[in-house]
Amino acid sequence: MTQLAYLVIREGSKWSDVFRLVPGQSVTVGRAPTNQVVLKDERCSRNHLELFVSKDQWTLRDLESRNGTMVGNEPVRGDTPLTPGDVIRIGRTQLVFVHKLTDAFGPSTEMGALLRRSSADSAAPGEESDSVLAPIEPTTITHRRGQTRFLAPSEAAAQEGVSKMGQAAAKLCRLAFELAKAPDVASMAELALAGLAEHTQTDAGAVLLLPANALGEPRGEDLEVISPQTLTKHRYHRLSDIFATTVMRGGEAILARNVIGDSALSTRDSQGEILSTSVLCAPIRRGQQTFGLIHLYSTDPTVVHDPDELEFTLAVADTMAVALENMRHRQELSDNLTRVRTENVELRERLGIRTDIVGRSAVMRQATEDIARAAASNSTVLIRGESGVGKELVARAVHSNSPRRDNVFICLNCAALSADLLASELFGHERGAFTGATERKIGKFEAADQGTIMLDEIGEMTPGLQAKFLRVLEGHPFERVGGNKPIKVDVRVIAATNRDLERDVTGGLFRRDLYFRLRVLEIVVPALRKRPEDIPLLADYFLAKFNAETGRRIKGFSEAAREQLLHYLWPGNVRELKNVIERAVVLCRSQEIDADDLLLTKLATAGDTEMGESARHRFTPRSLDDVERQHIFETLKHTGWNKSRTASILGIERSTLDRKIRRYQLDESPKA
């Protein structure tokens, strides 16, 4: 019966692991994490070799590795049986095959001698090798400490014989830690100057910084003094602009001694008395960016700064540059986060109503499905419906669920502008293109690049402008009004209309080719009277909205008010319902909106059911079949015998409409 075996693994000059080989289980070795034994040696293949039991003996098989496998000093070819003490070599990694770990750990054993020889052979010249595997000892914690003493001032440092350079390094370590925690620039400057005052023989100084938006090469006159400090009766005197410019542009710290006369390095008081005889100045720079400089000086004629103080000042300046850069990055991230949060809040407030489609009726569920299908593509969409049904709401929903959701959405009403102004709004204009064009203007198409543009009331666009608009839809570049530079954009177009475009095409008011280009995808938004089950939902929605805006606490609608809302035909659709509820909330005198609070009109609807006052008073007894036949025929005429639109308006399937047309023998001839 096959015995248990072990692989003792040595990587480089260190013994790293022991792996037990269990009879009946094959073991793979390689760099890939899927192997049982994973080696980090770069010369090891992802799946290098396999160990398995064959004829009661552990056997090695090389898995066509790139750099090959060796047992001892012989390369492996085919299946190779293993005997205790065999050393498997893969690159700089050794795997020793043994049956008992005691064979490996005993220094006086034959295995120990083998491992010593193997270690000596594999060790690089001058590299210390481990002769044997040391016995595993339990982990022992020897020291505990909660805080490092290098970040705390040490009064005993000088007494302990610490060198001046060591004291400076410890001070710089503490100062770097404090600068990183500084909440603002002024605090950072005060910490830096306090640290410099302890380590240098200066009695006055300041940090001078350039403005964050400074452009071009740094100049001394642009510097702003931050937290000046002085230990004498004299106030801090700023260094000359020429000297400051020299230090910042040269990028080198300067130590100046015996500063006298009219030298640019001189610092004088108001009476012209020379105050400094020794000056230290170091630029605060990070890579190619200069933030400012540190200026230190002494008014004591006996004080002479040494190069070590200059070295320390430069080290503090470089450390402060890193802290300043990190602080500015944190401020930028904070500003960006605040801006994004503000934009998100504004976006939610602005799009809160426009993106939340209220309605549970079958026709609105169908419209929602159409929106989802349209949003998934990049095709042009034509939204049709009466005025006030929420076509812009549908367009925003398409954009918000499309891959362009993170880019801009622009809406433009074609009926609100003249032809010339509409062309300028859509395509922009150059300066001097027409009277009043004093500046170049970017058009909506350019502004909406990578985003979505909605053109409401597309049927009001003039034929001349339709031709230019069609070229843009086809992917051709356009030119600004008065310009000659071609501009190409990537914009998704959503058009909306309440007109009968088919009738306009027949009458020559709308281009046939533009009609077919716009009608790639079509979404029909039903009139409010076509979905009466949604009226209570919308009424409650607007009531809650205007309650929140006005601070009123109106609880709901009376039964009479709800009855009136349900039976009114709503010629102005959802827009009219919204305005009616808003007026009722403002003028209601009780805790409940009553029928008297609802201001409803007597206008006829713009749709297919002309039900004005005169129509309601003319009654002629007729069978239901006659009423249905006449109603279907009139609806077909209204849509230009567009059966799909007719079925949508009637709220029936297209197949049902076809059966009723055959049943009532309807056709387009006048005799019907």
Side-chain angles (χ1 to χ4, degrees):
M1 183 176 179
T2 307
Q3 297 181 354
L4 283 173
Y6 299 88
L7 283 180
V8 185
I9 303 171
R10 178 187 180 95
E11 294 179 313
S13 61
K14 301 294 182 182
W15 296 104
S16 61
D17 204 353
V18 176
F19 189 86
R20 186 173 68 170
L21 304 175
V22 180
Q25 297 180 5
S26 63
V27 175
T28 58
V29 180
R31 278 190 301 110
T34 54
N35 294 287
Q36 285 87 347
V37 178
V38 180
L39 303 181
K40 298 180 181 179
D41 196 310
E42 61 184 11
R43 300 189 63 187
C44 179
S45 299
R46 290 182 58 83
N47 297 290
H48 199 98
L49 61 85
E50 181 182 12
L51 297 173
F52 57 93
V53 176
S54 176
K55 298 180 180 179
D56 294 333
Q57 187 174 10
W58 282 100
T59 304
L60 182 149
R61 175 183 296 165
D62 185 84
L63 300 177
E64 299 182 357
S65 61
R66 176 177 297 181
N67 296 303
T69 306
M70 301 192 55
V71 175
N73 295 318
E74 297 295 328
V76 172
R77 291 181 176 84
D79 293 351
T80 301
L82 295 176
T83 59
D86 282 345
V87 179
I88 305 168
R89 301 177 186 272
I90 301 174
R92 296 186 71 247
T93 304
Q94 301 172 17
L95 300 91
V96 182
F97 176 79
V98 294
H99 279 168
K100 297 180 180 180
L101 286 178
T102 54
D103 295 340
F105 290 110
S108 61
T109 62
E110 180 182 352
M111 187 63 198
L114 177 63
L115 295 179
R116 284 196 297 273
R117 288 196 302 272
S118 173
S119 174
D121 292 341
S122 62
E127 180 181 356
E128 181 182 355
S129 63
D130 298 334
S131 60
V132 294
L133 284 174
I136 299 175
E137 298 180 358
T139 302
T140 303
I141 298 175
T142 59
H143 297 82
R144 292 181 183 271
R145 191 169 185 86
Q147 272 187 318
T148 173
R149 59 192 176 100
F150 294 111
L151 297 181
S154 175
E155 299 178 356
Q159 300 175 2
E160 294 174 0
V162 179
S163 67
K164 186 177 180 181
M165 183 65 72
Q167 295 179 40
K171 177 62 182 176
L172 188 62
C173 177
R174 293 194 297 271
L175 187 58
F177 193 73
E178 293 169 356
L179 290 175
K181 297 190 298 181
D184 51 52
V185 174
S187 302
M188 188 183 296
E190 291 175 0
L191 287 169
L193 292 173
L196 287 165
E198 292 180 14
H199 201 77
T200 60
Q201 303 178 75
T202 57
D203 48 30
V207 173
L208 294 87
L209 297 180
L210 291 168
N213 57 354
L215 301 176
E217 290 192 357
R219 299 180 304 174
E221 56 265 31
D222 297 331
L223 290 168
E224 178 184 357
V225 178
I226 308 294
S227 301
Q229 295 185 8
T230 179
L231 301 178
T232 67
K233 61 181 180 179
H234 301 286
R235 63 182 177 82
Y236 166 77
H237 286 265
R238 176 174 175 150
L239 79 168
S240 68
D241 292 338
I242 298 176
F243 184 31
T245 302
T246 302
V247 172
M248 289 189 297
R249 291 184 180 177
E252 294 180 340
I254 293 177
L255 165 61
R257 299 175 180 174
N258 301 321
V259 180
I260 58 175
D262 295 328
S263 170
L265 305 184
S266 301
T267 303
R268 299 169 177 264
D269 63 8
S270 57
Q271 286 75 37
E273 177 186 356
I274 297 176
L275 298 178
S276 63
T277 60
S278 186
V279 175
L280 293 169
C281 196
I284 303 172
R285 75 272 197 268
R286 175 78 170 158
Q288 300 298 320
Q289 184 177 10
T290 301
F291 297 97
L293 55 83
I294 294 177
H295 173 221
L296 305 172
Y297 63 83
S298 173
T299 57
D300 186 351
T302 64
V303 171
V304 178
H305 293 125
D306 58 41
D308 287 342
E309 291 176 303
L310 180 66
E311 191 83 27
F312 186 77
T313 304
L314 181 59
V316 172
D318 288 344
T319 304
M320 189 174 180
V322 175
L324 276 172
E325 185 179 47
N326 292 337
M327 177 178 289
R328 291 187 178 181
H329 285 168
R330 289 196 303 269
Q331 186 61 42
E332 288 177 4
L333 290 173
S334 177
D335 293 343
N336 290 338
L337 182 60
T338 302
R339 178 177 55 81
V340 169
R341 285 176 175 171
T342 302
E343 289 177 356
N344 285 342
V345 170
E346 292 176 353
L347 211 57
R348 290 192 188 100
E349 291 177 352
R350 192 169 70 239
L351 302 181
I353 296 176
R354 297 173 184 170
T355 55
D356 293 336
I357 298 177
V358 179
R360 300 175 184 171
S361 60
V363 289
M364 282 310 298
R365 287 199 299 271
Q366 179 62 46
T368 303
E369 292 175 4
D370 294 341
I371 290 171
R373 284 192 289 267
S377 73
N378 199 37
S379 303
T380 306
V381 181
L382 178 61
I383 302 175
R384 312 183 73 150
E386 297 177 12
S387 179
V389 294
K391 295 187 290 295
E392 183 178 346
L393 168 68
V394 172
R396 287 186 180 275
V398 172
H399 171 75
S400 299
N401 292 280
S402 73
R404 298 172 181 260
R405 67 177 69 90
D406 295 328
N407 297 317
V408 66
F409 176 88
I410 294 178
C411 182
L412 183 64
N413 192 324
C414 299
L417 301 170
S418 64
D420 292 339
L421 287 178
L422 182 58
S424 174
E425 284 292 323
L426 285 175
F427 308 112
H429 63 252
E430 297 289 348
R431 181 179 179 181
F434 50 83
T435 303
T438 57
E439 299 291 340
R440 170 188 285 181
K441 179 177 180 179
I442 300 298
K444 300 300 185 187
F445 270 105
E446 280 186 83
D449 190 25
Q450 304 299 320
T452 305
I453 185 170
M454 176 193 177
L455 300 179
D456 200 4
E457 306 298 347
I458 190 69
E460 305 296 334
M461 187 179 289
T462 60
L465 194 55
Q466 290 175 26
K468 187 173 183 180
F469 175 48
L470 178 60
R471 282 188 56 80
V472 178
L473 281 182
E474 295 290 352
H476 297 287
F478 63 90
E479 298 172 355
R480 299 190 188 99
V481 177
N484 54 15
K485 179 182 177 182
I487 301 169
K488 190 174 179 64
V489 294
D490 177 17
V491 177
R492 183 182 192 178
V493 175
I494 299 177
T497 184
N498 61 358
R499 294 173 61 107
D500 188 342
L501 290 184
E502 291 82 1
R503 183 179 299 174
D504 289 346
V505 169
T506 304
L509 299 177
F510 200 82
R511 292 179 62 99
R512 181 181 296 270
D513 47 4
L514 178 58
Y515 167 75
F516 289 117
R517 186 64 183 83
L518 288 175
R519 197 170 173 262
V520 177
L521 298 174
E522 185 177 70
I523 300 175
V524 178
V525 186
L528 186 56
R529 62 183 172 278
K530 293 294 183 181
R531 49 185 184 119
E533 56 267 54
D534 292 336
I535 293 176
L537 295 175
L538 286 163
D540 291 337
Y541 176 84
F542 290 128
L543 176 60
K545 176 182 184 298
F546 293 122
N547 266 340
E549 290 182 3
T550 61
R552 300 292 302 273
R553 296 183 178 180
I554 299 174
K555 297 179 179 179
F557 300 89
S558 67
E559 287 299 324
R562 287 192 177 276
E563 192 71 17
Q564 192 165 353
L565 290 172
L566 284 172
H567 288 86
Y568 182 62
L569 293 179
W570 300 106
N573 292 296
V574 180
R575 182 185 293 120
E576 182 185 6
L577 174 60
K578 174 185 174 183
N579 295 334
V580 166
I581 301 302
E582 182 177 11
R583 177 187 181 277
V585 169
V586 173
L587 300 181
C588 179
R589 298 181 180 179
S590 64
Q591 296 296 310
E592 194 175 61
I593 294 178
D594 201 1
D596 295 338
D597 299 317
L598 303 176
L599 183 63
L600 305 178
T601 71
K602 297 182 180 179
L603 294 174
T605 63
D608 53 285
T609 54
E610 290 287 343
M611 292 294 292
E613 283 295 310
S614 58
R616 275 196 284 267
H617 288 302
R618 291 196 303 268
F619 173 74
T620 302
R622 304 172 67 187
S623 68
L624 289 176
D625 284 347
D626 288 340
V627 172
E628 185 179 55
R629 179 183 185 278
Q630 185 63 29
H631 181 61
I632 293 174
F633 179 68
E634 293 295 334
T635 306
L636 285 166
K637 285 204 307 181
H638 172 76
T639 61
W641 279 79
N642 184 323
K643 295 182 180 179
S644 296
R645 257 193 92 200
T646 301
S648 177
I649 292 173
L650 294 176
I652 60 177
E653 296 293 332
R654 168 68 183 270
S655 58
T656 304
L657 177 62
D658 289 334
R659 288 197 302 271
K660 290 182 181 294
I661 290 174
R662 290 193 298 270
R663 174 186 174 187
Y664 296 127
Q665 299 180 348
L666 299 176
D667 56 43
E668 297 184 62
S669 60
K671 64 181 180 179

